[in-house]
Amino acid sequence: MLLFLLRRLSTFLPTFLGVTVVSFAFVRLLPGDPILLLAGERGVSPERYAQLLAKFGFDQPLWRQYIEYLGGVLSGDFGVSFSTKRPVLDEFFTLFPATLELSITAMILAVALGIPAGVIAAVNRGKLFDQALMTTALIGYSMPIFWWALLLIITFSSGLGWTPVSGRISLMFFFDDVTGFMLIDSLLSGQKGAFASAVSHLILPTIVLATIPLAVIARQTRSAMLEVLGEDYVRTARAKGLSPARVNGIHALRNAMIPVITVIGLSVGTLLAGAILTETIFSWPGIGKWMVDSIFRRDYQAVQGGLMLIAAIVMIVNLIVDLLYGFINPKIRKG
Amino acid sequence: MSLLEIRNLTVEFRTASGLFRAVDSVDVTVENGDLLAIVGESGSGKSVSMLAVMGLLPWTANITADKMEFDGHDLRSLSAKARRQIVGKDISMIFQEPMSSLNPCFNVGYQIKETLRIHMGMGRRERHTRAVELMTQVGIPDPEKRLSAFPHQMSGGMSQRVMIAMALACKPKLLIADEPTTALDVTIQAQILDLLTDLQETTDMALILITHDMGVVAETVDRVMVQYAGQRVEEQMVDKLFANPHHPYTTALLAALPERAQSRHLPTIPGVVPGQFDRPQGCLFSPRCQFADARCKSQPPGRAGQELGSVLCHYPLVDGAPLNKEAS
């Protein structure tokens, strides 16, 4: 097990290094000059421009900038945002709980609906439920997210008035950040209605963000289950006189979980990418929206730092997924 | 009352190209403590009839029978739930591929104890004691430790022993062993067969052994039923069958045993079992039968009396020569 972990970690570091190169290069490939954007409409004198270039280190050759930046990153310093003058790491972790909260609720929704739906579809292969579910999943998967979000807002927020249009909580409530998670903080504040307000703000963004992972998980569960249901050990389980719920839900599903948790792990990347659109549409104050704003401001430090941190999170989640394989199917631990 | 009584069992599969008849009006009778072998080559429907008894056939199977009773229960009218209380408890089954028949995600102990919990409602400690006892009974060394082993950590022979332990967990009245030794190597085959017959003797359960290996049959069972293309073509006590087979198919199977070969070349049966599209009109074995004539090819044969092994043949063989042939 330890060896397995070490082997996985040894691929982790080069990948992370690659990510730093890509994110560093990416922001510099963006057209637009950060100093001109910073100066605004009034412009800047050539002397002042040169001075600012030197101040931010942009007069150095690229490789040198990269080395210095990498040195900073490895010692935990992700630089300071041009636009807010606050350390990138602080900015990120102030906003991250909002994204995390939304991602977690979306993932819970996707897993809690997707896995049972896939199992039921596989067991009832070819029947009406299966066909209806797979068609729905395909629609969910191929639908443009922003359009789906707008459709929900028009129907449930402007039309029926059931849910708020944007934000994390109604403006009537104000309390201190304790955990950064609105659901928990609103409960801790003890203010009447605060929790309900937080929940109502979460509903639509959660549905929107969960749509694609839900479709992917349901389809993957179905196909993995179909494969497993033909296996000898499933016949053995039935020959033991076990109930269909035990046969399908325990003996078959556990074996089918390997590809399913793989897509769950990969969905974390999709979720964080999806968060950028979803947060922008719902004005959700998370890192997705922050990244978009930073890109528009050509805030090099913020964009590259954000990219790197998101990449690191996705990589860590997938590392955890790899470790989970061994727990689900002990046969894999050997390999 | 017999333990298992099946009359006129027919199983047909609905396929994209029409119905395929895998089992064709088969009768099986098993008494308490019986030792029966069902013999036939691949595709002769031996497993299918037993899977029908277990209720393990896929939903594409149409099962019809005049009678299908186990221990007083009519298996045809039993609800799925009531059937699950018999299956795995009073009738259990082991399969051809022991390695893939155990669930790779659960340890052996879990898989054995699961049966004990579902059918016997035993408590944790009781289950553990019984599991160790079962592992010892099937000859697994160091049973306490082996309970926490996973299937991939065991050999094929060990896995089959675990399967047998699992099948014996609730002291079944009938054990169906579907080619239990086919996937194992020869020395292990003998050990597993010995184990099965020993257990059959000591526990007094009935055993149905499905096999294509006449050699296995000779050393193991009391009574033999020969199945061909889904039909029961002959049934005799094992010594009589070997001494005087009445069906040309049985004769050909026996002649193909290396131990009985008389020439340098091992005799074979030409051709294969008829499938969905090449089913002959008359006797199903006629295309491959060395005694077949025009009558065999055009009319399905009737069944002979018990003195001739209930053989399904126009010209049953007696001492190697076809009967009634001159008469026709």
PDB file of all heavy atoms in Angstrom, chain A residues 207-231:
ATOM      1  N   ILE A 207     -28.304  22.382  -9.084  1.00  0.00           N
ATOM      2  CA  ILE A 207     -28.896  21.593 -10.173  1.00  0.00           C
ATOM      3  C   ILE A 207     -28.106  21.814 -11.463  1.00  0.00           C
ATOM      4  O   ILE A 207     -27.750  20.866 -12.163  1.00  0.00           O
ATOM      5  CB  ILE A 207     -30.379  21.974 -10.368  1.00  0.00           C
ATOM      6  CG1 ILE A 207     -31.180  21.530  -9.141  1.00  0.00           C
ATOM      7  CG2 ILE A 207     -30.934  21.338 -11.637  1.00  0.00           C
ATOM      8  CD1 ILE A 207     -32.627  21.978  -9.167  1.00  0.00           C
ATOM      9  N   VAL A 208     -27.802  23.071 -11.744  1.00  0.00           N
ATOM     10  CA  VAL A 208     -27.104  23.383 -12.997  1.00  0.00           C
ATOM     11  C   VAL A 208     -25.729  22.715 -13.014  1.00  0.00           C
ATOM     12  O   VAL A 208     -25.347  22.056 -13.984  1.00  0.00           O
ATOM     13  CB  VAL A 208     -26.965  24.910 -13.161  1.00  0.00           C
ATOM     14  CG1 VAL A 208     -26.002  25.238 -14.299  1.00  0.00           C
ATOM     15  CG2 VAL A 208     -28.322  25.524 -13.408  1.00  0.00           C
ATOM     16  N   LEU A 209     -25.012  22.862 -11.911  1.00  0.00           N
ATOM     17  CA  LEU A 209     -23.661  22.330 -11.868  1.00  0.00           C
ATOM     18  C   LEU A 209     -23.654  20.793 -11.864  1.00  0.00           C
ATOM     19  O   LEU A 209     -22.744  20.167 -12.394  1.00  0.00           O
ATOM     20  CB  LEU A 209     -22.950  22.864 -10.614  1.00  0.00           C
ATOM     21  CG  LEU A 209     -21.437  22.704 -10.577  1.00  0.00           C
ATOM     22  CD1 LEU A 209     -20.806  23.311 -11.811  1.00  0.00           C
ATOM     23  CD2 LEU A 209     -20.874  23.376  -9.325  1.00  0.00           C
ATOM     24  N   ALA A 210     -24.704  20.202 -11.285  1.00  0.00           N
ATOM     25  CA  ALA A 210     -24.733  18.743 -11.168  1.00  0.00           C
ATOM     26  C   ALA A 210     -25.153  18.071 -12.467  1.00  0.00           C
ATOM     27  O   ALA A 210     -24.927  16.874 -12.639  1.00  0.00           O
ATOM     28  CB  ALA A 210     -25.689  18.328 -10.043  1.00  0.00           C
ATOM     29  N   THR A 211     -25.746  18.813 -13.373  1.00  0.00           N
ATOM     30  CA  THR A 211     -26.368  18.186 -14.548  1.00  0.00           C
ATOM     31  C   THR A 211     -25.410  17.288 -15.330  1.00  0.00           C
ATOM     32  O   THR A 211     -25.696  16.111 -15.565  1.00  0.00           O
ATOM     33  CB  THR A 211     -26.966  19.265 -15.471  1.00  0.00           C
ATOM     34  OG1 THR A 211     -27.910  19.994 -14.705  1.00  0.00           O
ATOM     35  CG2 THR A 211     -27.650  18.630 -16.659  1.00  0.00           C
ATOM     36  N   ILE A 212     -24.265  17.842 -15.707  1.00  0.00           N
ATOM     37  CA  ILE A 212     -23.347  17.037 -16.536  1.00  0.00           C
ATOM     38  C   ILE A 212     -22.769  15.852 -15.758  1.00  0.00           C
ATOM     39  O   ILE A 212     -22.847  14.715 -16.223  1.00  0.00           O
ATOM     40  CB  ILE A 212     -22.260  17.927 -17.161  1.00  0.00           C
ATOM     41  CG1 ILE A 212     -22.921  18.782 -18.257  1.00  0.00           C
ATOM     42  CG2 ILE A 212     -21.124  17.093 -17.743  1.00  0.00           C
ATOM     43  CD1 ILE A 212     -21.983  19.687 -18.987  1.00  0.00           C
ATOM     44  N   PRO A 213     -22.215  16.082 -14.551  1.00  0.00           N
ATOM     45  CA  PRO A 213     -21.729  14.908 -13.797  1.00  0.00           C
ATOM     46  C   PRO A 213     -22.815  13.866 -13.562  1.00  0.00           C
ATOM     47  O   PRO A 213     -22.555  12.665 -13.649  1.00  0.00           O
ATOM     48  CB  PRO A 213     -21.263  15.502 -12.467  1.00  0.00           C
ATOM     49  CG  PRO A 213     -20.985  16.923 -12.757  1.00  0.00           C
ATOM     50  CD  PRO A 213     -21.912  17.335 -13.851  1.00  0.00           C
ATOM     51  N   LEU A 214     -24.035  14.319 -13.303  1.00  0.00           N
ATOM     52  CA  LEU A 214     -25.142  13.381 -13.075  1.00  0.00           C
ATOM     53  C   LEU A 214     -25.349  12.498 -14.300  1.00  0.00           C
ATOM     54  O   LEU A 214     -25.458  11.272 -14.191  1.00  0.00           O
ATOM     55  CB  LEU A 214     -26.411  14.176 -12.753  1.00  0.00           C
ATOM     56  CG  LEU A 214     -27.725  13.409 -12.651  1.00  0.00           C
ATOM     57  CD1 LEU A 214     -27.640  12.341 -11.592  1.00  0.00           C
ATOM     58  CD2 LEU A 214     -28.879  14.347 -12.342  1.00  0.00           C
ATOM     59  N   ALA A 215     -25.366  13.122 -15.460  1.00  0.00           N
ATOM     60  CA  ALA A 215     -25.572  12.349 -16.692  1.00  0.00           C
ATOM     61  C   ALA A 215     -24.427  11.370 -16.901  1.00  0.00           C
ATOM     62  O   ALA A 215     -24.646  10.197 -17.230  1.00  0.00           O
ATOM     63  CB  ALA A 215     -25.681  13.301 -17.879  1.00  0.00           C
ATOM     64  N   VAL A 216     -23.201  11.837 -16.676  1.00  0.00           N
ATOM     65  CA  VAL A 216     -22.036  10.976 -16.898  1.00  0.00           C
ATOM     66  C   VAL A 216     -22.040   9.811 -15.913  1.00  0.00           C
ATOM     67  O   VAL A 216     -21.807   8.656 -16.286  1.00  0.00           O
ATOM     68  CB  VAL A 216     -20.734  11.794 -16.754  1.00  0.00           C
ATOM     69  CG1 VAL A 216     -19.526  10.887 -16.868  1.00  0.00           C
ATOM     70  CG2 VAL A 216     -20.673  12.876 -17.814  1.00  0.00           C
ATOM     71  N   ILE A 217     -22.319  10.097 -14.639  1.00  0.00           N
ATOM     72  CA  ILE A 217     -22.296   9.049 -13.619  1.00  0.00           C
ATOM     73  C   ILE A 217     -23.394   8.015 -13.890  1.00  0.00           C
ATOM     74  O   ILE A 217     -23.158   6.804 -13.810  1.00  0.00           O
ATOM     75  CB  ILE A 217     -22.446   9.662 -12.205  1.00  0.00           C
ATOM     76  CG1 ILE A 217     -21.172  10.430 -11.849  1.00  0.00           C
ATOM     77  CG2 ILE A 217     -22.697   8.584 -11.157  1.00  0.00           C
ATOM     78  CD1 ILE A 217     -21.282  11.259 -10.582  1.00  0.00           C
ATOM     79  N   ALA A 218     -24.584   8.488 -14.260  1.00  0.00           N
ATOM     80  CA  ALA A 218     -25.680   7.546 -14.525  1.00  0.00           C
ATOM     81  C   ALA A 218     -25.328   6.628 -15.695  1.00  0.00           C
ATOM     82  O   ALA A 218     -25.508   5.407 -15.624  1.00  0.00           O
ATOM     83  CB  ALA A 218     -26.973   8.301 -14.816  1.00  0.00           C
ATOM     84  N   ARG A 219     -24.789   7.194 -16.741  1.00  0.00           N
ATOM     85  CA  ARG A 219     -24.459   6.365 -17.920  1.00  0.00           C
ATOM     86  C   ARG A 219     -23.325   5.391 -17.594  1.00  0.00           C
ATOM     87  O   ARG A 219     -23.356   4.238 -17.997  1.00  0.00           O
ATOM     88  CB  ARG A 219     -24.051   7.255 -19.098  1.00  0.00           C
ATOM     89  CG  ARG A 219     -25.221   8.040 -19.661  1.00  0.00           C
ATOM     90  CD  ARG A 219     -24.775   8.902 -20.830  1.00  0.00           C
ATOM     91  NE  ARG A 219     -24.447   8.101 -21.988  1.00  0.00           N
ATOM     92  CZ  ARG A 219     -25.312   7.822 -22.949  1.00  0.00           C
ATOM     93  NH1 ARG A 219     -26.542   8.260 -22.891  1.00  0.00           N
ATOM     94  NH2 ARG A 219     -24.951   7.092 -23.971  1.00  0.00           N
ATOM     95  N   GLN A 220     -22.331   5.886 -16.857  1.00  0.00           N
ATOM     96  CA  GLN A 220     -21.197   5.016 -16.532  1.00  0.00           C
ATOM     97  C   GLN A 220     -21.623   3.882 -15.602  1.00  0.00           C
ATOM     98  O   GLN A 220     -21.203   2.745 -15.764  1.00  0.00           O
ATOM     99  CB  GLN A 220     -20.082   5.851 -15.891  1.00  0.00           C
ATOM    100  CG  GLN A 220     -18.832   5.064 -15.589  1.00  0.00           C
ATOM    101  CD  GLN A 220     -18.159   4.571 -16.849  1.00  0.00           C
ATOM    102  OE1 GLN A 220     -17.726   5.339 -17.690  1.00  0.00           O
ATOM    103  NE2 GLN A 220     -18.094   3.260 -17.008  1.00  0.00           N
ATOM    104  N   THR A 221     -22.468   4.219 -14.616  1.00  0.00           N
ATOM    105  CA  THR A 221     -22.948   3.187 -13.695  1.00  0.00           C
ATOM    106  C   THR A 221     -23.715   2.124 -14.464  1.00  0.00           C
ATOM    107  O   THR A 221     -23.526   0.925 -14.261  1.00  0.00           O
ATOM    108  CB  THR A 221     -23.862   3.798 -12.619  1.00  0.00           C
ATOM    109  OG1 THR A 221     -23.181   4.865 -11.996  1.00  0.00           O
ATOM    110  CG2 THR A 221     -24.240   2.776 -11.577  1.00  0.00           C
ATOM    111  N   ARG A 222     -24.564   2.564 -15.372  1.00  0.00           N
ATOM    112  CA  ARG A 222     -25.360   1.615 -16.145  1.00  0.00           C
ATOM    113  C   ARG A 222     -24.452   0.676 -16.932  1.00  0.00           C
ATOM    114  O   ARG A 222     -24.605  -0.539 -16.873  1.00  0.00           O
ATOM    115  CB  ARG A 222     -26.285   2.361 -17.095  1.00  0.00           C
ATOM    116  CG  ARG A 222     -27.069   1.439 -17.999  1.00  0.00           C
ATOM    117  CD  ARG A 222     -27.939   2.238 -18.958  1.00  0.00           C
ATOM    118  NE  ARG A 222     -28.639   1.361 -19.872  1.00  0.00           N
ATOM    119  CZ  ARG A 222     -28.162   0.992 -21.047  1.00  0.00           C
ATOM    120  NH1 ARG A 222     -26.979   1.417 -21.443  1.00  0.00           N
ATOM    121  NH2 ARG A 222     -28.861   0.196 -21.826  1.00  0.00           N
ATOM    122  N   SER A 223     -23.480   1.237 -17.644  1.00  0.00           N
ATOM    123  CA  SER A 223     -22.691   0.354 -18.497  1.00  0.00           C
ATOM    124  C   SER A 223     -21.787  -0.555 -17.661  1.00  0.00           C
ATOM    125  O   SER A 223     -21.596  -1.720 -17.994  1.00  0.00           O
ATOM    126  CB  SER A 223     -21.895   1.150 -19.526  1.00  0.00           C
ATOM    127  OG  SER A 223     -20.822   1.804 -18.913  1.00  0.00           O
ATOM    128  N   ALA A 224     -21.265  -0.038 -16.547  1.00  0.00           N
ATOM    129  CA  ALA A 224     -20.431  -0.889 -15.684  1.00  0.00           C
ATOM    130  C   ALA A 224     -21.279  -2.014 -15.088  1.00  0.00           C
ATOM    131  O   ALA A 224     -20.843  -3.159 -14.995  1.00  0.00           O
ATOM    132  CB  ALA A 224     -19.800  -0.058 -14.574  1.00  0.00           C
ATOM    133  N   MET A 225     -22.500  -1.687 -14.693  1.00  0.00           N
ATOM    134  CA  MET A 225     -23.386  -2.698 -14.107  1.00  0.00           C
ATOM    135  C   MET A 225     -23.736  -3.763 -15.138  1.00  0.00           C
ATOM    136  O   MET A 225     -23.763  -4.951 -14.829  1.00  0.00           O
ATOM    137  CB  MET A 225     -24.679  -2.041 -13.602  1.00  0.00           C
ATOM    138  CG  MET A 225     -24.577  -1.405 -12.245  1.00  0.00           C
ATOM    139  SD  MET A 225     -24.292  -2.575 -10.917  1.00  0.00           S
ATOM    140  CE  MET A 225     -25.877  -3.371 -10.773  1.00  0.00           C
ATOM    141  N   LEU A 226     -23.997  -3.337 -16.368  1.00  0.00           N
ATOM    142  CA  LEU A 226     -24.363  -4.306 -17.400  1.00  0.00           C
ATOM    143  C   LEU A 226     -23.248  -5.322 -17.586  1.00  0.00           C
ATOM    144  O   LEU A 226     -23.484  -6.509 -17.774  1.00  0.00           O
ATOM    145  CB  LEU A 226     -24.641  -3.597 -18.730  1.00  0.00           C
ATOM    146  CG  LEU A 226     -25.996  -2.903 -18.818  1.00  0.00           C
ATOM    147  CD1 LEU A 226     -26.164  -2.223 -20.167  1.00  0.00           C
ATOM    148  CD2 LEU A 226     -27.113  -3.907 -18.592  1.00  0.00           C
ATOM    149  N   GLU A 227     -22.019  -4.823 -17.533  1.00  0.00           N
ATOM    150  CA  GLU A 227     -20.891  -5.718 -17.709  1.00  0.00           C
ATOM    151  C   GLU A 227     -20.805  -6.705 -16.538  1.00  0.00           C
ATOM    152  O   GLU A 227     -20.634  -7.899 -16.725  1.00  0.00           O
ATOM    153  CB  GLU A 227     -19.611  -4.889 -17.786  1.00  0.00           C
ATOM    154  CG  GLU A 227     -18.524  -5.568 -18.567  1.00  0.00           C
ATOM    155  CD  GLU A 227     -17.325  -4.665 -18.693  1.00  0.00           C
ATOM    156  OE1 GLU A 227     -17.511  -3.494 -19.098  1.00  0.00           O
ATOM    157  OE2 GLU A 227     -16.233  -5.118 -18.362  1.00  0.00           O
ATOM    158  N   VAL A 228     -20.956  -6.163 -15.341  1.00  0.00           N
ATOM    159  CA  VAL A 228     -20.795  -6.982 -14.136  1.00  0.00           C
ATOM    160  C   VAL A 228     -21.933  -7.998 -13.979  1.00  0.00           C
ATOM    161  O   VAL A 228     -21.715  -9.114 -13.528  1.00  0.00           O
ATOM    162  CB  VAL A 228     -20.695  -6.054 -12.906  1.00  0.00           C
ATOM    163  CG1 VAL A 228     -20.835  -6.842 -11.633  1.00  0.00           C
ATOM    164  CG2 VAL A 228     -19.381  -5.307 -12.934  1.00  0.00           C
ATOM    165  N   LEU A 229     -23.139  -7.614 -14.397  1.00  0.00           N
ATOM    166  CA  LEU A 229     -24.294  -8.499 -14.180  1.00  0.00           C
ATOM    167  C   LEU A 229     -24.148  -9.828 -14.917  1.00  0.00           C
ATOM    168  O   LEU A 229     -24.791 -10.806 -14.565  1.00  0.00           O
ATOM    169  CB  LEU A 229     -25.592  -7.793 -14.623  1.00  0.00           C
ATOM    170  CG  LEU A 229     -26.090  -6.710 -13.667  1.00  0.00           C
ATOM    171  CD1 LEU A 229     -27.310  -6.006 -14.231  1.00  0.00           C
ATOM    172  CD2 LEU A 229     -26.411  -7.298 -12.300  1.00  0.00           C
ATOM    173  N   GLY A 230     -23.298  -9.862 -15.940  1.00  0.00           N
ATOM    174  CA  GLY A 230     -23.092 -11.115 -16.657  1.00  0.00           C
ATOM    175  C   GLY A 230     -22.011 -11.993 -16.037  1.00  0.00           C
ATOM    176  O   GLY A 230     -21.745 -13.083 -16.522  1.00  0.00           O
ATOM    177  N   GLU A 231     -21.398 -11.522 -14.959  1.00  0.00           N
ATOM    178  CA  GLU A 231     -20.270 -12.265 -14.377  1.00  0.00           C
ATOM    179  C   GLU A 231     -20.741 -13.488 -13.577  1.00  0.00           C
ATOM    180  O   GLU A 231     -21.847 -13.514 -13.058  1.00  0.00           O
ATOM    181  CB  GLU A 231     -19.469 -11.345 -13.437  1.00  0.00           C
ATOM    182  CG  GLU A 231     -18.761 -10.209 -14.131  1.00  0.00           C
ATOM    183  CD  GLU A 231     -17.547 -10.665 -14.928  1.00  0.00           C
ATOM    184  OE1 GLU A 231     -17.054 -11.779 -14.657  1.00  0.00           O
ATOM    185  OE2 GLU A 231     -17.123  -9.922 -15.825  1.00  0.00           O
TER     186      GLU A 231
END
